[in-house]
């Protein structure tokens, strides 16, 4: 992923749940399905249109939706698709699910078996790097707001010209470490009213037991099992 240097103070609208999904929707409308690298680039560029504080808020809102999707029935759906479904794999699955946009996310949260209607990449429904995209965008935007665009460009050219420093992503990591998104989040956390507004749109159902196993998948998510050829007793390791 490359740096995206944009001047300006960011959009004035601020970041809320509607704007959060708007960012994702605008990216998905301009990027070919399944091209995760393009999604990362476009998301970073879109986020850079906002202030650093709003970018941090976008990441925090994403965290709320990640937590809401931390359900056993969704984990079972993840397993049925053949996606790597360890603890870390399920985190990456939830990032992928959010990246698909509001309509898909809300539908799958309500009915995990509806994931059968979504086209899943051959390598699986996971998107680890999507979990970091706002951290990179925040690092750049905060640096620009603090030092000014000209100074940041000069620093970048100096850094990339050093012996052995050929990766643009390496520079993004430098800015990420220098400008901690979580310090911004801790200083300006989501309020209870904002969290309640997010929850008001989500229809939560009783979850299944955490004791589900692979043999139960055809009963839990029958359409997914039919689509991906998962039958009782099949080895899905």
């Amino acid at each position: 992923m490359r740096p995206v240097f944009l001047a300006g103070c960011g959009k004035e609208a601020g970041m809320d749940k509607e704007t959060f999904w708007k960012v994702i929707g605008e990216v998905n409308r301009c990027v070919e399905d399944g091209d995760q690298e393009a999604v990362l680039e476009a998301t970073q560029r879109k986020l850079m249109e906002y202030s650093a504080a709003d970018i941090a808020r976008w990441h925090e809102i994403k965290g709320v939706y990640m937590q809401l999707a931390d359900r056993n029935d969704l984990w079972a759906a993840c397993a049925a698709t053949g996606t790597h479904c360890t603890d870390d794999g399920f985190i990456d699955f939830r990032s992928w699910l959010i990246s698909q946009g509001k309509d898909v996310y809300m539908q799958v949260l309500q009915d995990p078996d509806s994931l059968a209607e979504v086209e899943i990449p051959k390598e699986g429904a996971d998107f680890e790097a999507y979990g970091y995209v706002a951290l990179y965008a925040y690092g750049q935007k905060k640096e620009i707001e603090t030092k000014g665009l000209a100074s940041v460009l000069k620093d970048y050219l100096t850094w990339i010209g050093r012996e052995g420093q050929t990766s643009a992503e390496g520079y993004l990591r430098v800015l990420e470490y220098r400008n901690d998104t979580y310090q911004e989040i801790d200083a300006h956390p989501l309020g209870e009213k904002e969290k309640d507004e997010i929850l008001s749109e989500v229809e939560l159902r009783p979850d299944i037991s955490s004791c589900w196993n692979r043999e139960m998948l055809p009963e839990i998510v029958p359409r997914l099992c039919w689509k991906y050829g998962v039958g009782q007793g099949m080895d899905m390791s």
Side-chain angles (χ1 to χ4, degrees):
M1 190 158 45
R2 297 167 296 179
V4 178
F5 298 120
L6 296 175
C9 297
K11 295 185 176 181
E12 297 180 357
M15 186 61 62
D16 54 20
K17 62 183 176 64
E18 285 81 14
T19 310
F20 170 85
W21 289 116
K22 179 182 177 182
V23 167
I24 295 173
E26 289 179 351
V27 167
N28 288 341
R29 283 192 291 273
C30 69
V31 174
E32 183 179 351
D33 289 347
D35 190 341
Q36 292 192 352
E37 188 60 36
V39 169
L40 293 174
E41 296 280 356
T43 302
Q44 184 185 187
R45 184 173 294 278
K46 180 60 63 175
L47 287 173
M48 288 288 288
E49 296 177 7
Y50 295 87
S51 68
D54 281 339
I55 296 170
R57 180 58 54 92
W58 188 92
H59 185 69
E60 188 176 9
I61 291 171
K62 179 178 180 290
V64 175
Y65 286 116
M66 288 283 288
Q67 183 62 39
L68 287 171
D70 188 7
R71 297 173 54 90
N72 296 315
D73 53 8
L74 272 178
W75 205 331
C78 173
T81 67
T83 298
H84 182 56
C85 61
T86 61
D87 288 352
D88 288 343
F90 186 46
I91 291 172
D92 299 341
F93 167 80
R94 285 179 280 152
S95 274
W96 173 85
L97 180 61
I98 290 171
S99 77
Q100 300 305 293
K102 183 177 181 179
D103 290 345
V104 171
Y105 173 88
M106 292 296 183
Q107 179 62 35
V108 172
L109 199 65
Q110 178 62 25
D111 176 15
D113 207 20
S114 70
L115 190 61
E117 302 167 12
V118 181
E119 192 63 35
I120 293 177
K122 292 181 179 179
E123 59 272 18
D126 57 63
F127 201 171
E128 178 183 2
Y130 198 72
Y132 315 131
V133 64
L135 306 184
Y136 286 159
Y138 176 86
Q140 293 174 82
K141 195 67 176 191
K142 188 67 174 180
E143 193 83 352
I144 291 170
E145 291 177 354
T146 303
K147 293 185 175 181
L149 179 60
S151 178
V152 174
L153 286 170
K154 182 179 178 180
D155 287 349
Y156 173 65
L157 293 174
T158 299
W159 186 89
I160 205 71
R162 293 173 184 167
E163 184 178 356
Q165 302 290 3
T166 59
S167 169
E169 187 170 345
Y171 184 70
L172 292 180
R173 292 190 179 279
V174 169
L175 296 187
E176 177 194 344
Y177 296 143
R178 189 182 296 167
N179 302 283
D180 188 352
T181 311
Y182 294 102
Q183 284 187 353
E184 181 85 42
I185 291 173
D186 289 342
H188 305 96
L190 280 173
E192 290 304 315
K193 180 180 179 181
E194 293 167 298
K195 292 180 181 178
D196 288 343
E197 288 177 351
I198 292 173
L199 290 172
S200 68
E201 283 192 316
V202 179
E203 297 183 30
L204 294 176
R205 301 163 295 99
D207 199 1
I208 66 172
S209 169
S210 61
C211 297
W212 65 269
N213 57 49
R214 288 178 171 86
E215 285 69 32
M216 297 176 181
L217 291 179
E219 180 179 351
I220 299 170
V221 281
R223 284 187 290 163
L224 276 170
C225 288
W226 182 85
K227 182 175 181 178
Y228 292 99
V230 178
Q232 188 170 355
M234 288 185 64
D235 183 9
M236 295 179 56
S237 60

